Amino acid sequence: MDFYDLIAKRRMVRNFTDEPVSDEAIDRILDAARRGPSAGFTQGQDFIVVTDAAMKRQLAEFCGESFYTESGFDPFISKAPVLIVPCTNENAYHRRYQEADKTDDSGEEIEWPVPYWFMDAGHAVMLLLLAVVHENLAAGFAGFQDLPAARAALGIPAEVTPVGVIPIGHPAPDKRSPSLKRGRRTDHIHRERW
Ligand SMILES: Cc1cc2nc3c(=O)[nH]c(=O)nc-3n(C[C@H](O)[C@H](O)[C@H](O)COP(=O)(O)O)c2cc1C
């Protein structure tokens, strides 16, 4: 598929069939996710792959799946064959930027212009989502409503932040997000200056 067609085909899908997803496809998708750029090549992102039904139900609960189903969505988190939880580690960036090649003249860590640990998580997640489309699969995203519970259930170290859940599977007809009514912006380009 043409690269721009692949980008246009990507959308957040909120319903999946029962058809399993191959381990090989998940491996390729995860390999794509680690090829993104990262500040200082810190690579401070980790991914937890969940296929256990009980853990999927728990994570769905921590994302408030019942609120989705009460408003007409399918149980797209608990029902997805595979969940991937992308995580980012702010402290890994601080440690990297305290290394000799990254400190300023006084040996101090830089003033961070923006939180690059979240920017790099976005890079990784975007590559992952595009790889999902390339595999003829579909993915969604759900943020945690109870992040401490998710962290505890998955045994995530205190310095690592799970940014949400990416359900992956074969797409089934789904209810579209009401947010899409906003339409896609076309006034976002500022040439030469804002
Ligand atoms: C940071 C972020 C958080 C999101 N959180 C949720 C969420 O909690 N639940 C959900 O159903 N969709 C969530 N989405 C999906 C957006 O609603 C979706 O990307 C947007 O409506 C545009 O639709 P599209 O991705 O299908 O083009 C999130 C997307 C991003 C990038």
Side-chain angles (χ1 to χ4, degrees):
M1 191 189 302
D2 173 78
F3 183 64
Y4 292 104
D5 290 340
L6 186 136
I7 290 173
K9 192 176 169 199
R10 186 217 58 81
R11 55 172 291 261
M12 296 302 191
V13 170
R14 296 180 182 83
N15 194 19
F16 304 95
T17 69
D18 295 332
E19 190 182 341
V21 171
S22 77
D23 291 342
E24 292 76 17
I26 292 297
D27 287 347
R28 286 190 294 269
I29 289 164
L30 289 165
D31 187 55
R34 74 187 176 90
R35 290 179 182 275
S38 64
F41 210 26
T42 304
Q43 307 169 77
Q45 285 68 48
D46 288 76
F47 301 87
I48 306 173
V49 183
V50 177
T51 55
D52 175 72
M55 182 61 89
K56 286 194 288 185
R57 279 196 298 274
Q58 264 197 296
L59 293 178
E61 190 187 319
F62 302 149
C63 292
E65 187 173 69
S66 56
F67 296 104
Y68 290 100
T69 53
E70 279 159 23
S71 53
F73 289 96
D74 294 278
F76 69 99
I77 307 163
S78 58
K79 210 182 132 187
V82 181
L83 303 181
I84 294 181
V85 179
C87 303
T88 198
N89 184 339
E90 173 176 346
N91 280 345
Y93 285 75
H94 295 307
R95 284 193 290 271
R96 170 69 185 105
Y97 276 73
Q98 286 161 19
E99 290 176 20
D101 63 324
K102 283 293 175 191
T103 51
D104 63 19
D105 292 343
S106 54
E108 296 293 316
E109 184 180 340
I110 60 162
E111 294 265 332
W112 290 88
V114 294
Y116 285 159
W117 39 97
F118 288 121
M119 179 168 177
D120 293 351
H123 294 140
V125 167
M126 193 70 248
L127 287 173
L128 187 156
L129 293 174
L130 292 176
V132 163
V133 179
H134 185 64
E135 295 288 343
N136 280 317
L137 296 167
F141 183 89
F144 285 119
Q145 293 190 357
D146 190 343
L147 195 141
R151 194 197 290 279
L154 293 167
I156 298 172
E159 69 174 12
V160 175
T161 303
V163 298
V165 172
I166 301 176
I168 298 176
H170 295 266
D174 66 346
K175 177 179 157 158
R176 292 294 183 101
S177 165
S179 303
L180 294 172
K181 288 198 198 86
R182 295 166 53 80
R184 195 172 296 282
R185 281 183 61 196
T186 55
D187 60 347
H188 59 298
I189 310 288
H190 309 270
R191 298 196 190 274
E192 314 304 349
R193 60 166 295 165
W194 188 283

